[in-house]
Amino acid sequence: MESGPDVRTWAAPAKINLALHVTGRRPDGYHLIESLAVFTRFGDRIEIAPAEGDDFTVSGRYAPDVPPDGNNLVLKARDALRQAAGLRSTPPVIIRLEKNLPVASGVGGGSSDAAAVLRGLADSWGLDIDSAELARIGLSLGADVPMCLAEKPLVARGIGEELSMVPDFSALGLVLVNPGTPVSTAEIFAALSRRDNEPLPPLPRFIEFHSLRNWLEITRNDLEPAALAMRPAIGRALSWLDKAGSGFSRMSGSGATCFGLFETGNVAKRAAAEIRSRQPDWFVAATRSIGSEAE
């Protein structure tokens, strides 16, 4: 990523579904969910700078997997915000995406990229637009975009657009592991055997490693069984997290990225190094989540 007086950078963190219950289905086919989600310090990065004409470039480990055309959520986000604000207020920009997260991996990478672009362009263009309007535009791009705009611990309901922030939520030590197998969210939802599961149980009053681990033990990711059946490598990722000492391991979203919960960041780093040494071709990252009181 480049730097300069007119270049600014925004983080696009990974979204981790710590628990995900599928509670119903709307007549239009959209599934209803309840999910506790956090966002991590590790993720993609978006760089925005003024330009003579619009441009978009991608770098990073997973750049080859990113569509460079209008199918990319980054460009859809730019165009949607421009349409809402008008051409006169939205001059050309160059957007550079550093793609550090695997594509189609259950951590909301594309949605987080889109959210970072919406935030970044609203600031770069000096738009008078509030968070509710940004969330409305984000929802038109995908159900995950409003929660990625929030970037704090939250419970998402509905199709993912009904958000409740969770206070008193400490930062968590996490290891993310993806065995390199992309997963189609639509295929996983289509393979569900049941869509009317129980909602999330009440959250602990204060959330840190021990209280969260105990709570997670009585929750689920309702997409995990179908994903495990379709992509057995997900089971190997979970097994490696357990072997490395994870206090709790689960798949995030529709997969294939799995997370392990660790008591400290240093323990997480050691676990990630161990898994990486055994599986050098996998995506493995030690990180911390963003707590509810993050600056």
Side-chain angles (χ1 to χ4, degrees):
M1 306 290 274
E2 299 180 14
S3 61
D6 297 324
V7 179
R8 295 190 60 191
T9 302
W10 282 265
K15 172 183 66 68
I16 306 302
N17 298 101
L18 297 175
L20 196 164
H21 291 196
V22 179
T23 58
R25 194 177 192 181
R26 298 195 319 196
D28 61 7
Y30 279 96
H31 287 82
L32 302 174
I33 65 162
E34 287 197 5
S35 179
L36 174 65
V38 295
F39 298 83
T40 67
R41 302 286 180 184
F42 182 88
D44 297 339
R45 293 176 69 81
I46 292 286
E47 190 179 83
I48 298 173
E52 292 297 317
D54 284 329
D55 197 8
F56 174 55
T57 63
V58 189
S59 63
R61 176 177 177 180
Y62 296 100
D65 300 326
V66 176
D69 55 19
N71 290 320
N72 192 294
L73 275 176
V74 164
L75 299 183
K76 289 182 178 180
R78 178 200 66 193
D79 295 345
L81 187 57
R82 179 172 278 152
Q83 182 177 9
L87 287 173
R88 188 170 297 180
S89 305
T90 56
V93 288
I94 180 169
I95 301 175
R96 302 182 182 99
L97 166 62
E98 183 180 283
K99 193 64 184 169
N100 302 315
L101 295 169
V103 173
S105 65
V107 293
S111 296
S112 190
D113 296 341
V117 167
L118 290 175
R119 283 194 306 270
L121 286 178
D123 186 78
S124 298
W125 284 334
L127 300 180
D128 183 16
I129 187 168
D130 61 20
S131 57
E133 176 64 7
L134 272 187
R136 186 195 65 77
I137 296 170
L139 184 60
S140 74
L141 302 169
D144 277 359
V145 179
M147 67 177 89
C148 290
L149 281 164
E151 273 192 331
K152 294 285 184 69
L154 56 84
V155 172
R157 296 182 176 86
I159 62 171
E161 86 287 13
E162 300 172 18
L163 306 180
S164 302
M165 299 300 111
V166 181
D168 299 321
F169 200 126
S170 300
L172 306 170
L174 298 168
V175 174
L176 312 181
V177 177
N178 187 299
T181 175
V183 176
S184 164
T185 300
E187 286 184 21
I188 298 300
F189 272 105
L192 292 178
S193 59
R194 181 176 173 180
R195 295 175 171 83
D196 57 346
N197 303 289
E198 305 84 10
L200 294 175
L203 287 167
R205 190 184 65 81
F206 179 76
I207 299 180
E208 41 73 54
F209 174 83
H210 297 286
S211 64
L212 179 64
R213 181 180 61 184
N214 293 339
W215 183 85
L216 288 173
E217 293 285 357
I218 58 171
T219 67
R220 311 174 306 277
N221 179 349
D222 287 330
L223 305 183
E224 190 172 303
L228 282 168
M230 296 171 67
R231 301 286 190 272
I234 294 171
R236 294 194 290 275
L238 291 167
S239 178
W240 275 110
L241 283 165
D242 290 340
K243 289 176 185 176
S246 167
F248 184 88
S249 308
R250 175 173 281 164
M251 186 185 83
S252 175
S254 55
T257 304
C258 300
F259 69 87
L261 181 65
F262 291 84
E263 192 157 7
T264 69
N266 286 335
V267 175
K269 289 178 183 177
R270 288 196 294 270
E274 178 182 342
I275 297 171
R276 199 178 292 115
S277 70
R278 302 299 182 93
Q279 300 290 345
D281 296 329
W282 286 8
F283 164 82
V284 182
T287 184
R288 287 183 67 77
S289 68
I290 301 169
S292 57
E293 308 306 322
E295 296 180 0

